Amino acid sequence: MGEDGPVTSAPQRPEGPTPTPRLIATDLDGTLLRDDKSVSLRTVAALAAAEEAGIEVFFVTGRPARWMDVVSEHVHGHGLAICANGAAVVDLHAGRSFVEVRALPRATALTVVQTLRAVAPGTSFAVEMTTGINYEPLYPPFFQDPGANVATAEKLLDGEGDDTTAPVLKLLAHHPELAPDAFLELARTAAGGHASITRSSPTALLEISGLGVSKASTLELCCAERGITPSEVVAFGDMPNDVEMLRWAGTSYAMGNAHPDVVAAASGQTVANNEDGVAVVIERILADLAAQRG
């Protein structure tokens, strides 16, 4: 669930005519997935029906590739997913192998670390690489990873350890006291000229990618390869890391549980993730297509 509680009213359609979609792009946590991280049977059926109708489905998430098992079996056709907020395109049909990586330069990551330490004392960091996550001793143990290296961000990024050549997908920054949106605004003001900074957690946890790397920019590249225009894309999301994607897509829906910035960015709104808001819209799209075809 997002930050404003669920919306249980009927979905609000975007104004004006909606082109026949060729691609559906959906976030996972708080959007496609229910709060218990499951994919409902209704949603599974809707995704399969969309693919059957010739509409590609892309999962576009802040999750790393290693956390994609929850939806791997629901990817049809191309098998691709956009992970780490656009830093990686992953083939879920080929063992979550990396098809494309848009890395955060280590020197840039170090600059951001130094900047955030100065403007927000108490910030702790983790470094997400193609080989896994490493983190500082004070970084909260959100998810235990027995294979992680534990050291200062400076040491993790300066080439020490076993990940000297592994591309950095994103830097994670956590503050124990600041409000999430206040931390995001502070970080963007101080370091936004060096990297793309966003968030998807209800805590003060920032996700920092290479400059210009976002869900939107990587989705745009994937669509361009397929000759798909923004007007042919329907997108779904719930948190600030979805805002650029929702603005880019020709038709977009904020979930009923979405952050206010997401509601403002989207062209329409559906019901909450726990009420299968993505499936509700897909079912309506398919019904409209069936009616058009007579």
Side-chain angles (χ1 to χ4, degrees):
M1 184 178 295
E3 302 184 352
D4 289 333
V7 169
T8 57
S9 58
Q12 301 171 12
R13 291 175 181 260
E15 295 182 1
T18 302
T20 301
R22 293 179 59 194
L23 187 142
I24 290 168
T26 179
D27 172 52
L28 295 182
D29 296 282
T31 300
L32 189 80
L33 305 182
R34 291 186 168 186
D35 287 348
D36 63 2
K37 307 305 180 185
S38 68
V39 186
S40 72
L41 292 177
R42 181 180 184 181
T43 297
V44 169
L47 295 174
E51 294 276 3
E52 179 77 18
I55 303 172
E56 291 192 74
V57 176
F58 261 80
F59 299 134
V60 189
T61 179
R63 286 183 173 223
R66 66 182 182 279
W67 290 357
M68 293 300 288
D69 286 351
V70 66
V71 292
S72 291
E73 65 185 80
H74 307 306
V75 176
H76 306 274
H78 56 78
L80 301 179
I82 296 171
C83 296
N85 289 331
V89 179
V90 176
D91 189 341
L92 299 182
H93 288 338
R96 303 190 299 277
S97 60
F98 290 97
V99 175
E100 182 174 352
V101 172
R102 305 179 69 194
L104 171 65
R106 288 176 182 247
T108 301
L110 280 168
T111 297
V112 174
V113 167
Q114 293 163 0
T115 301
L116 294 186
R117 288 205 199 282
V119 301
T123 301
S124 60
F125 297 91
V127 183
E128 179 72 48
M129 305 178 187
T130 53
T131 51
I133 191 168
N134 300 315
Y135 40 79
E136 294 190 317
L138 294 180
Y139 187 78
F142 296 113
F143 303 98
Q144 295 288 350
D145 187 337
N149 293 318
V150 180
T152 65
E154 289 81 356
K155 288 186 177 181
L156 294 172
L157 290 165
D158 71 2
E160 292 187 11
D162 298 327
D163 298 297
T164 55
T165 61
V168 175
L169 296 177
K170 62 180 178 178
L171 182 69
L172 297 155
H174 178 267
H175 199 279
E177 298 175 356
L178 291 173
D181 284 335
F183 190 27
L184 177 59
E185 182 177 358
L186 176 66
R188 284 177 169 173
T189 299
H194 300 290
S196 296
I197 306 174
T198 190
R199 75 178 190 87
S200 61
S201 170
T203 66
L205 177 65
L206 305 184
E207 301 166 62
I208 301 159
S209 306
L211 195 63
V213 175
S214 68
K215 290 184 176 186
S217 62
T218 301
L219 178 62
E220 182 177 16
L221 293 173
C222 291
C223 286
E225 292 173 354
R226 291 159 172 76
I228 296 174
T229 64
S231 65
E232 297 171 308
V233 177
V234 178
F236 300 86
D238 73 308
M239 287 297 279
N241 64 331
D242 297 312
V243 165
E244 293 92 344
M245 178 175 73
L246 299 182
R247 287 176 176 161
W248 177 83
T251 304
S252 58
Y253 289 88
M255 305 305 293
N257 48 288
H259 185 281
D261 289 352
V262 175
V263 176
S267 58
Q269 188 168 10
T270 185
V271 295
N273 62 317
N274 284 334
E275 299 175 77
D276 301 329
V278 174
V280 168
V281 174
I282 292 175
E283 290 165 357
R284 190 176 64 204
I285 289 171
L286 297 178
D288 289 346
L289 287 176
Q292 293 170 15
R293 294 168 180 168

